[in-house]
Amino acid sequence: MILAKKDSPYFISEYYPNEESKKIASKNQKKVKKGRVILTVIALTLASLFLLFRAAAIAEATYKIEKMKTELSQIKNDNEKLKIKIADLKSMSRIEQIAKNELKMQEPSSSQVIYIGGSK
């Protein structure tokens, strides 16, 4: 079998598809590999950003929870102080003292007391 040189006018490239197809396939493979690398980098970047935003959201929620716990503790303390103050203001000794000193009230004498419907 006689083969024509590539430079000769008798050379027909369709009989030698291997050389051109290898070059084209090589270029296509390089483009595909490059595309895969780019997609992988983009996917990793997006995944990293998602994880960072999620971690930031968790940290913010934790901070808010701690702040609310502190506020709740303060409110409970204030509530206990108010309960003590209410109990002090309701005490009979305090009410009697205010009645005698500020309102100038007196204990009734035995002649001022009238019993109704019962025994002494």
Side-chain angles (χ1 to χ4, degrees):
M1 175 168 160
I2 300 174
L3 298 174
K5 293 183 181 179
K6 287 185 183 179
D7 298 337
S8 76
Y10 301 109
F11 179 76
I12 302 172
S13 63
E14 62 189 53
Y15 293 117
Y16 300 97
N18 291 338
E19 291 179 23
E20 279 187 33
S21 65
K22 284 181 183 178
K23 288 180 184 177
I24 293 171
S26 173
K27 287 181 183 179
N28 286 340
Q29 286 177 350
K30 287 180 183 178
K31 287 181 183 178
V32 168
K33 285 182 182 179
K34 191 174 184 180
R36 285 183 184 166
V37 169
I38 290 172
L39 287 176
T40 303
V41 168
I42 290 172
L44 289 174
T45 303
L46 290 175
S48 299
L49 286 174
F50 173 75
L51 291 174
L52 286 174
F53 282 124
R54 186 173 173 200
I58 290 170
E60 184 178 355
T62 304
Y63 172 74
K64 285 181 181 179
I65 289 170
E66 290 301 319
K67 186 177 177 183
M68 287 180 178
K69 283 181 180 178
T70 304
E71 288 177 17
L72 179 63
S73 175
Q74 182 64 37
I75 290 170
K76 284 182 177 180
N77 288 338
D78 292 345
N79 196 19
E80 288 300 317
K81 288 178 184 177
L82 289 173
K83 284 181 180 179
I84 292 170
K85 189 172 183 178
I86 287 171
D88 184 42
L89 292 173
K90 286 172 114 179
S91 72
M92 292 306 284
S93 62
R94 181 182 172 278
I95 292 172
E96 185 178 351
Q97 181 184 8
I98 291 172
K100 286 182 180 179
N101 297 335
E102 293 180 19
L103 301 176
K104 306 293 183 201
M105 295 181 156
Q106 299 175 357
E107 299 249 351
S109 64
S110 60
S111 64
Q112 293 175 324
V113 177
I114 301 173
Y115 295 99
I116 300 175
S119 63
K120 288 186 179 181

